[in-house]
Amino acid sequence: MKPIASIIVPQESVNDESVVVLEMNYNNNDFVEKDAEVIEIETSKTTMSLQTSTTGYIIYNCSVGDEVEIGRCVANIYNEKYIEQKSDSKESIKPATEVKPESTVVVTTLFSINAEKYIEENKLSKETFAGKDFVTLEDIIDPHEIEYTIEKPATISQPKTKKTKIITEAVTEEKIPKQKKKEIQYLSSVQSAGLNSVVNTFVNCSGIFEFIKESELQLKKSLLPIIVYETSRLLRKYPKLNSFFQDDSIFVYNDVNVGIAMDMDKGLKVLKIKDTDKLSIKGIEDEVLVLSNKYLEEKIDTTDLTGISFTITDLSDSDISFFTPLINMDNSGILGVSSIDKQLNRFTLSLTFDHRVTEGKYAAVFLKELKSRIESYSNEIRKTELEQKSERECFKCHRRVSKSMNENIHFLKVIDQNSNEKILCNYCLEGF
Amino acid sequence: MAINHRQIKEALLIRYVEESFLNLFSRGKLNGTVHTCVGEELSAVAFAGQLKKQDFVFSNHRCHGHYISFTKDCKGLIGELMGKGKGICGGIGSSQHLQNGNFYSNGIQGGIVPMAAGHALANKLRGNGNIGVVYIGDGTLGEGALYETMNIISLWELPLLIVCENNGYAQSTEQKDNLAGNIVDRAKAFGIKTFDSDVWDENKLLENASESIEYIRKNQKPAFHLVNLYRLNAHSKGDDDRDVSEVNKYRERDFINKFSKNEPHLYNEYMEPIIKKVDNIIADFDGQDELDLKEYYSDNLVVSEEKTWTELQNIKQRQVNLMNQFFDNALKNKEVVFIGEDVKSPYGGAFKVAKNLSFNFPQQVLTTPISEGAITGIANGLALAGFKPFVEIMFGDFVTLAFDQIVNHASKIHHMYNKKVSCPMVLRTPMGGGRGYGPTHSQSLERFLLGIDNVKLLAINTFINPEIIFNNVLKEKHPTIIIENKTDYGKYIGPPQITNYKFIANNEEYPTVKALPVLSQPNLTIVTYGGVAHHVINSIEKLFLEYEFKAEVIILTKLHPIDYLDIVSSVETTRKLVTVEEGSIDGGIGSEIISNVVSKIPYYVSTLRIGSLPIPIPSAKSLEEQVLPTSNSIVNSIKRHFYEANS
Ligand SMILES: Cc1ncc(C[n+]2csc(CCOP(=O)(O)OP(=O)(O)O)c2C)c(N)n1
């Protein structure tokens, strides 16, 4: 059966790719008059109703709450009552938030034994995890994995700031330079919502510089390349920090382009390291050097300034113990690097994040992992890892506790001549 | 047949060139060593010197005379020994490793004999009537490769003349201390026609040599020619403990010494241009450069390019059938040869890869005696002659018997002859246990085949259609070893069903397979290959359910050289790397992979190697299961290493 008319989502705002269905005013197969308002939708600007252009029986192709792409048909009008299942036609509308595994594999959610136990004990609903492939205990307690990805819209609407002028006698007005104005505009886009929050952590940096000294890195005193490197990789795992909030949606960037805030007497600029997550540490360092030269020589292109998905601001040479960085426009997070406390051999990392996009727990888990990744560069950690491992081996044959696959091997704690506790395997005890 | 004056001049040239070498050596102008044939020149003149250009010669460490008599090129030889870039092999090979046209020499006693047989087989298959000579010393009568080959050349009637230069010594060892029985009787025992000559009756030598050459050319059968002679100089330089009176006795009998004494005019007349020519060549080379390392070695790093990954499909065919189909097709090319033990149909090989092939291609499918060394050497010789040989070693354990041919011949040929020739031989063999065959028929020895220079090491699996791999192997210009697995032959090709996992492969010549969670980020990287990959795949679910690991499994097809990009980028997210191989782990493939990955990334990665226990694979079922890696032992090791360590 062919419809006699279709109701299509119109393009109302240049930036909208989709609208949300708020209400459906009729039931399927209801008779509707020409010009009847049949469905309520919400665009980024406003809510509106769509009308039918003809009289007939209506069949909806969507449900309340669906996000429907512009140009999609939300309902059809037929000459007579429609008998087929509407679910067929619904197939054609894929909500933009749905996970699309590019694979033909059918996903059936698997819960680890621990996850299963936890769900049972806490009487949770497994439904919550529908659409996931594997659910671990961590996924339940710490659900940091994002469930959806959205393409970034081609253009981004600039938030409109109303012009109000304060003139009082008690102050002297000083015109803000153009540069500063830009900065304000840039920062206020996220800050103005006032829903930002900060998490801080100390990073122990003893031993890292030894690593850098031995490495091919050029900047022997800077941790920035390592921090940028690890951050960019973690952003893949924590995509909510590689996104931005707008019009009640979260837009996740497809690429990781970390921006580095630079302020060396030529104005604050955030410069982009393109595809940061694909570069090596050395590659990142090279890129930082290239960008700072461009900055100093004032040869920055617009491409160096746009498309930044996350920002890092390094104030480590300003002798500060910690600060709260401000999130840039079209970002949901910024990482601040403070100076190293030489006595305690540590420095602060501060992550400001947009609370509309994610929560403190997510940010904290991110920061914790970043911290441990950075600390893993320490030559000392490498050494102690090895030492710990070697402790757990037979002191005679060096057979490792963790490495012995044979179930017949046992280890005993023994006391040697010097009253030191040692580990001995049964083979060495019994002799061969 | 009387010796002619061209032949006398050739003998004089050989002697003067070699004396010049000794002279250069004492002046420090020769690097390494020289083995001169002073006193033995007539053997070179008689055999190598009486061949046709299209014939071939394989020689040994004492090869200068053979080289000059066959190629007539003393310039290339002198440059080579002086180590110059313009030497015949760019100074790479020097004294013992020469190649020019159909002339080859190598410094492994006995190893050249099966290669020469392979070259003779190529001539026979082509039906071109050409023949070849392989020179050995009497000391080399101790090498097994010789007897494996004598058996085969007699059986297959290959047109090859073995010339045994019997100078009574092997290096410092007198024949009475290293040889039992009678020399020619050895050849006779194989049904090979024998000839017997010596250099002191030069005319008879030339006549006999010519007769043995003609015998082979006419009958297309092998022959063995014993030539008694004496080496007047040291084995190489200054290492001579022989009785001076013994040596002097032979100096007096020496043809050239007699000639110079009896015909001083002629001698001087002949020597004058020789001296001039050789001295000029030496003077010319003197100031010349040695080869630049860049010309010898180019760092052919594995360059990772953007790869396309596609999901694997089920092919409703067993691995062994697909391999069999490949050969059935490939053998339509007359220069493809399938060689191995018991490969003749109806038997068709121990694992039936060769099923029916010998019915369709009786010339090219050669069932062989139990002689892994010889058949691998024959494959090398075939490859040198432009054929594409596929050797089947019945069980992987037996590959050790072919090791000399792989490492000292196949691997070295291309570079040691300064890249003028290459050896595109292929060796396939099934590794792996699980069938109760016990200690000598179950082991996985691929770690010994890993990292052999210029030899690709591949391992097929049941995820990728083996035809893709074999078709690319067909195009390889260099030696390739293919590891198969006994338990895989009967399996169907395609991805297994693992809940929420997808199996993808890239579009490389030797595709890498990845098993990935469809949606989740993996938190453990497992690298494996070949037959044991099944056990890894079967451990995935348990690893998740019990220990919350979402493993990314990378199944390599190319084990040497390895493209590390995929492994490194996986480890970047997981920071945990496990390798699983079927052999025991020490000095294994896991060690190689881990050391490479760790050197490519600066942060700490936790690593674990899994493999068999370091003992021979037992036959008893329950024991065998405990010694080999299984999905259970893989899960347990991973649990112990990563899970328990953390909790
Ligand atoms: C497989 C192998 N073993 C040992 C050697 C070391 N080696 C070089 S020449 C030689 C003696 C060979 O004696 P023979 O075959 O009689 O030749 P000759 O030197 O007498 O010409 C030996 C032992 C070698 N090159 N290859």
Side-chain angles (χ1 to χ4, degrees):
Chain A
M1 196 166 63
K2 269 200 166 164
I4 48 171
S6 295
I7 295 151
I8 308 287
V9 179
Q11 179 89 50
E12 276 299 304
S13 150
V14 274
N15 293 317
D16 283 354
E17 283 195 332
S18 61
V19 298
V20 174
V21 177
L22 290 182
E23 209 164 316
M24 294 185 291
N25 301 339
Y26 293 89
N27 290 325
N28 278 338
N29 279 328
D30 276 354
F31 185 75
V32 292
E33 297 277 0
K34 179 173 186 283
D35 292 337
E37 295 184 347
V38 295
I39 189 164
E40 301 279 320
I41 57 166
E42 185 187 52
T43 71
S44 61
K45 298 266 151 54
T46 174
T47 61
M48 62 190 290
S49 18
L50 303 182
Q51 299 170 331
T52 147
S53 58
T54 169
T55 304
Y57 294 91
I58 188 164
I59 295 286
Y60 289 100
N61 290 335
C62 56
S63 333
V64 171
D66 276 356
E67 200 167 330
V68 183
E69 286 162 50
I70 305 295
R72 283 297 186 136
C73 164
V74 283
N76 283 318
I77 308 295
Y78 294 89
N79 259 332
E80 47 190 298
K81 284 197 177 175
Y82 192 69
I83 23 182
E84 264 179 59
Q85 282 297 307
K86 94 173 195 193
S87 63
D88 287 340
S89 39
K90 188 159 183 279
E91 270 291 299
S92 61
I93 302 180
K94 285 241 170 87
T97 53
E98 197 190 281
V99 183
K100 267 192 244 153
E102 74 276 25
S103 153
T104 55
V105 176
V106 186
V107 176
T108 38
T109 312
L110 273 192
F111 296 83
S112 71
I113 291 174
N114 288 341
E116 192 91 38
K117 240 205 234 143
Y118 188 87
I119 287 176
E120 211 167 276
E121 282 167 6
N122 295 280
K123 310 226 167 356
L124 301 178
S125 158
K126 282 193 178 176
E127 288 296 300
T128 325
F129 304 97
K132 288 201 152 230
D133 53 354
F134 295 103
V135 179
T136 61
L137 183 60
E138 198 188 336
D139 291 330
I140 302 175
I141 301 172
D142 231 3
H144 56 248
E145 249 179 55
I146 202 151
E147 285 107 30
Y148 45 83
T149 47
I150 309 170
E151 300 276 306
K152 191 186 182 233
T155 53
I156 298 154
S157 62
Q158 300 290 322
K160 284 197 182 121
T161 34
K162 276 186 198 142
K163 272 198 177 170
T164 42
K165 215 168 182 191
I166 318 153
I167 305 168
T168 70
E169 323 246 295
V171 290
T172 336
E173 182 177 351
E174 191 186 312
K175 280 263 183 293
I176 297 174
K178 247 200 187 143
Q179 171 66 36
K180 192 73 193 168
K181 254 194 215 163
K182 268 233 174 95
E183 201 181 301
I184 293 171
Q185 187 195 356
Y186 216 73
L187 291 170
S188 56
S189 123
V190 185
Q191 259 57 234
S192 58
L195 283 170
N196 294 342
S197 182
V198 195
V199 284
N200 294 294
T201 189
F202 288 125
V203 178
N204 183 340
C205 55
S206 49
I208 303 184
F209 287 99
E210 275 165 40
F211 160 75
I212 295 178
K213 214 157 88 197
E214 289 163 15
S215 76
E216 50 167 1
L217 291 173
Q218 223 173 309
L219 305 173
K220 296 290 182 205
K221 293 208 173 106
S222 172
L223 296 173
L224 190 62
I226 291 179
I227 295 173
V228 174
Y229 176 85
E230 290 300 345
T231 304
S232 65
R233 270 153 183 81
L234 276 182
L235 286 172
R236 281 278 176 221
K237 189 167 169 191
Y238 297 87
K240 282 187 190 171
L241 292 171
N242 196 49
S243 68
F244 67 96
F245 182 90
Q246 190 186 296
D247 303 338
D248 286 337
S249 290
I250 296 164
F251 294 90
V252 179
Y253 285 97
N254 295 330
D255 296 330
V256 173
N257 295 323
V258 170
I260 303 292
M262 285 189 192
D263 195 353
M264 297 179 275
D265 304 329
K266 303 227 185 242
L268 172 68
K269 288 236 161 66
V270 181
L271 301 182
K272 178 177 74 179
I273 303 179
K274 197 171 165 354
D275 288 327
T276 328
D277 62 327
K278 302 205 172 91
L279 297 175
S280 64
I281 299 185
K282 182 78 186 104
I284 287 170
E285 178 181 71
D286 292 346
E287 207 42 35
V288 170
L289 291 171
V290 167
L291 288 173
S292 47
N293 277 337
K294 275 182 160 182
Y295 170 91
L296 290 171
E297 289 167 17
E298 300 186 41
K299 284 187 180 150
I300 294 164
D301 308 322
T302 39
T303 50
D304 295 326
L305 300 165
T306 50
I308 291 165
S309 61
F310 182 87
T311 309
I312 296 179
T313 173
D314 181 3
L315 295 185
S316 59
D317 54 5
S318 316
D319 204 10
I320 46 139
S321 28
F322 86 99
F323 68 105
T324 302
L326 297 179
I327 303 175
N328 283 313
M329 188 163 84
D330 297 341
N331 278 189
S332 61
I334 182 165
L335 184 74
V337 184
S338 300
S339 317
I340 291 170
D341 182 326
K342 296 252 161 58
Q343 255 122 51
L344 297 172
N345 244 329
R346 65 179 197 190
F347 65 97
T348 312
L349 279 183
S350 309
L351 174 72
T352 309
F353 63 95
D354 186 339
H355 220 295
R356 296 169 300 176
V357 173
T358 181
E359 319 69 41
K361 180 78 190 177
Y362 187 88
V365 175
F366 169 85
L367 201 60
K368 191 176 127 202
E369 191 164 354
L370 180 60
K371 165 192 161 85
S372 81
R373 282 186 174 213
I374 294 169
E375 286 176 349
S376 79
Y377 285 81
S378 158
N379 280 352
E380 286 172 23
I381 292 201
R382 285 157 195 255
K383 272 177 225 150
T384 46
E385 291 255 5
L386 287 175
E387 277 160 19
Q388 274 170 11
K389 286 248 159 86
S390 62
E391 263 172 27
R392 302 185 55 190
E393 63 182 31
C394 171
F395 80 99
K396 280 200 157 174
C397 68
H398 301 290
R399 182 180 276 110
R400 295 256 182 100
V401 174
S402 60
K403 297 283 166 66
S404 54
M405 303 197 350
N406 190 329
E407 308 286 356
N408 298 327
I409 298 179
H410 313 291
F411 294 83
L412 297 102
K413 278 197 177 156
V414 293
I415 310 281
D416 72 5
Q417 303 94 313
N418 308 324
S419 313
N420 291 326
E421 225 177 62
K422 288 203 163 140
I423 291 183
L424 184 68
C425 76
N426 59 325
Y427 279 39
C428 291
L429 180 72
E430 293 156 10
F432 286 95
Chain B
M1 187 191 271
I3 188 163
N4 66 38
H5 286 244
R6 187 197 60 75
Q7 290 165 328
I8 296 174
K9 284 186 208 163
E10 196 166 283
L12 292 176
L13 174 67
I14 294 170
R15 178 155 309 180
Y16 188 70
V17 167
E18 288 203 316
E19 279 172 348
S20 305
F21 286 158
L22 292 172
N23 188 299
L24 283 166
F25 186 84
S26 56
R27 284 164 44 211
K29 302 232 177 216
L30 271 187
N31 200 22
T33 187
V34 273
H35 304 90
T36 61
C37 66
V38 174
E40 307 181 358
E41 295 90 345
L42 289 187
S43 167
V45 173
F47 297 97
Q50 293 201 88
L51 290 174
K52 294 184 180 163
K53 220 181 154 71
Q54 308 88 288
D55 296 331
F56 67 82
V57 174
F58 277 78
S59 178
N60 49 50
H61 59 294
R62 205 172 300 287
C63 61
H64 309 151
H66 310 147
Y67 180 90
I68 290 176
S69 284
F70 185 66
T71 66
K72 319 290 181 210
D73 162 45
C74 71
K75 190 171 167 195
L77 177 71
I78 293 170
E80 184 62 24
L81 270 90
M82 292 176 77
K84 302 302 183 185
K86 295 245 166 65
I88 192 64
C89 295
I92 309 295
S94 190
S95 173
Q96 311 188 58
H97 318 96
L98 300 171
Q99 182 274 329
N100 184 356
N102 284 339
F103 182 94
Y104 306 89
S105 69
N106 198 5
I108 300 294
Q109 302 311 321
I112 46 162
V113 185
M115 283 188 51
H119 214 297
L121 174 60
N123 284 340
K124 188 174 176 109
L125 288 171
R126 288 192 174 124
N128 58 19
N130 299 330
I131 69 157
V133 166
V134 55
Y135 282 102
I136 57 167
D138 54 304
T140 303
L141 292 166
E143 290 288 359
L146 172 67
Y147 302 100
E148 290 185 12
T149 310
M150 286 215 278
N151 183 38
I152 291 175
I153 58 174
S154 177
L155 196 65
W156 295 354
E157 304 192 333
L158 299 183
L160 179 66
L161 176 63
I162 299 176
V163 176
C164 177
E165 297 181 321
N166 175 24
N167 59 18
Y169 287 87
Q171 204 148 323
S172 67
T173 307
E174 253 183 276
Q175 199 168 82
K176 69 172 172 54
D177 291 333
N178 72 11
L179 193 91
N182 177 289
I183 296 178
V184 287
D185 280 355
R186 297 171 182 226
K188 280 187 185 145
F190 290 103
I192 295 175
K193 174 143 177 94
T194 60
F195 296 84
D196 204 337
S197 310
D198 65 62
V199 289
W200 301 291
D201 186 345
E202 64 276 1
N203 297 335
K204 189 94 181 104
L205 170 68
L206 285 162
E207 194 176 312
N208 284 352
S210 165
E211 194 190 316
S212 55
I213 288 170
E214 283 324 306
Y215 167 83
I216 291 170
R217 216 182 284 289
K218 187 156 154 265
N219 298 293
Q220 289 291 300
K221 277 185 181 172
F224 182 95
H225 203 135
L226 176 68
V227 186
N228 295 311
L229 33 66
Y230 194 82
R231 149 168 73 73
L232 295 177
N233 279 350
H235 167 72
S236 49
K237 323 125 321 209
D239 49 352
D240 203 348
D241 300 315
R242 294 174 302 182
D243 194 341
V244 183
S245 64
E246 175 187 302
V247 180
N248 283 341
K249 204 173 78 198
Y250 283 107
R251 281 194 199 286
E252 278 164 30
R253 294 179 71 187
D254 174 59
F255 171 78
I256 292 177
N257 288 347
K258 284 194 299 191
F259 179 70
S260 69
K261 209 160 135 202
N262 300 340
E263 310 262 3
H265 284 297
L266 262 188
Y267 176 78
N268 289 334
E269 187 190 322
Y270 291 169
M271 281 307 287
E272 197 186 324
I274 289 174
I275 292 170
K276 209 161 147 196
K277 178 177 163 188
V278 172
D279 288 358
N280 277 341
I281 293 173
I282 291 173
D284 262 7
F285 274 119
D286 204 17
Q288 284 191 24
D289 287 334
E290 296 187 355
L291 203 65
D292 196 298
L293 180 65
K294 277 194 231 101
E295 293 170 70
Y296 179 43
Y297 171 69
S298 51
D299 191 355
N300 289 325
L301 281 179
V302 186
V303 184
S304 311
E305 283 166 14
E306 273 299 312
K307 299 165 206 159
T308 345
W309 294 83
T310 42
E311 237 174 276
L312 287 178
Q313 300 298 324
N314 273 305
I315 300 171
K316 294 194 174 52
Q317 290 217 55
R318 293 179 200 278
Q319 188 189 57
V320 67
N321 293 349
L322 290 162
M323 291 165 71
N324 181 259
Q325 268 168 40
F326 160 80
F327 282 113
D328 210 33
N329 243 318
L331 285 160
K332 287 182 186 134
N333 176 347
K334 290 262 166 294
E335 310 225 305
V336 173
V337 173
F338 191 113
I339 173 169
E341 291 158 20
D342 293 287
V343 299
K344 199 163 146 186
S345 293
Y347 189 72
F351 296 95
K352 311 301 165 207
V353 174
K355 196 162 184 64
N356 292 343
L357 296 179
S358 70
F359 291 146
N360 301 339
F361 308 97
Q363 298 275 328
Q364 294 153 263
V365 179
L366 300 164
T367 209
T368 72
I370 309 168
S371 308
E372 290 77 13
I375 63 182
T376 308
I378 286 172
N380 285 339
L382 280 167
L384 267 186
F387 276 72
K388 185 80 191 180
F390 286 80
V391 186
E392 175 174 297
I393 300 291
M394 188 191 276
F395 279 82
D397 310 62
F398 311 158
V399 83
T400 52
L401 294 132
F403 213 51
D404 172 52
Q405 284 299 331
I406 298 169
V407 176
N408 280 316
H409 297 82
S411 156
K412 291 177 183 167
I413 279 167
H414 177 66
H415 287 93
M416 80 177 174
Y417 299 142
N418 200 18
K419 299 188 271 191
K420 287 180 294 171
V421 292
S422 58
C423 182
M425 64 86 83
V426 186
L427 183 144
R428 318 171 14 252
T429 190
M431 299 283 181
R435 288 219 170 176
Y437 292 152
T440 61
H441 290 64
S442 309
Q443 217 185 334
S444 294
L445 295 179
E446 45 272 24
R447 61 182 158 143
F448 300 122
L449 303 168
L450 184 74
I452 301 177
D453 304 327
N454 204 37
V455 178
K456 273 207 179 113
L457 181 64
L458 308 175
I460 59 170
N461 52 56
T462 58
F463 309 102
I464 296 283
N465 185 343
E467 287 177 306
I468 298 177
I469 293 158
F470 279 94
N471 275 316
N472 284 311
V473 167
L474 210 48
K475 294 180 222 146
E476 286 290 345
K477 300 255 176 329
H478 296 294
T480 311
I481 298 177
I482 305 174
I483 305 299
E484 297 162 8
N485 194 290
K486 291 166 206 118
T487 56
D488 276 353
Y489 286 127
K491 292 201 176 104
Y492 286 90
I493 298 295
Q497 289 287 326
I498 303 290
T499 316
N500 297 341
Y501 262 75
K502 60 178 176 185
F503 284 77
I504 54 175
N506 64 19
N507 57 338
E508 304 212 296
E509 286 173 314
Y510 305 113
T512 297
V513 176
K514 281 200 234 178
L516 284 168
V518 250
L519 299 171
S520 287
Q521 283 260 18
N523 56 11
L524 177 72
T525 307
I526 308 182
V527 183
T528 185
Y529 64 89
V532 78
H534 280 281
H535 297 295
V536 175
I537 297 297
N538 291 337
S539 69
I540 286 179
E541 196 161 297
K542 200 166 173 197
L543 279 173
F544 171 72
L545 289 177
E546 295 183 13
Y547 308 109
E548 307 202 318
F549 286 115
K550 303 169 188 174
E552 168 170 359
V553 181
I554 299 176
I555 301 160
L556 299 173
T557 300
K558 192 167 53 149
L559 302 181
H560 180 74
I562 293 178
D563 178 352
Y564 283 98
L565 190 76
D566 296 318
I567 307 176
V568 167
S569 67
S570 172
V571 170
E572 278 186 339
T573 16
T574 64
R575 308 269 162 132
K576 291 188 187 71
L577 173 60
V578 179
T579 58
V580 183
E581 61 202 291
E582 192 170 333
S584 51
I585 55 176
D586 287 342
I589 291 178
S591 316
E592 179 64 21
I593 292 173
I594 288 171
S595 72
N596 266 286
V597 170
V598 166
S599 74
K600 285 175 177 26
I601 39 190
Y603 37 74
Y604 181 77
V605 177
S606 189
T607 60
L608 169 67
R609 294 173 298 163
I610 297 176
S612 286
L613 296 181
I615 36 176
I617 315 292
S619 189
K621 200 168 168 47
S622 65
L623 275 178
E624 186 181 31
E625 265 174 33
Q626 292 175 74
V627 170
L628 294 171
T630 59
S631 56
N632 271 339
S633 68
I634 291 168
V635 171
N636 284 338
S637 309
I638 291 176
K639 170 190 78 172
R640 259 185 239 140
H641 190 82
F642 297 109
Y643 193 81
E644 288 176 354
N646 285 339
S647 53

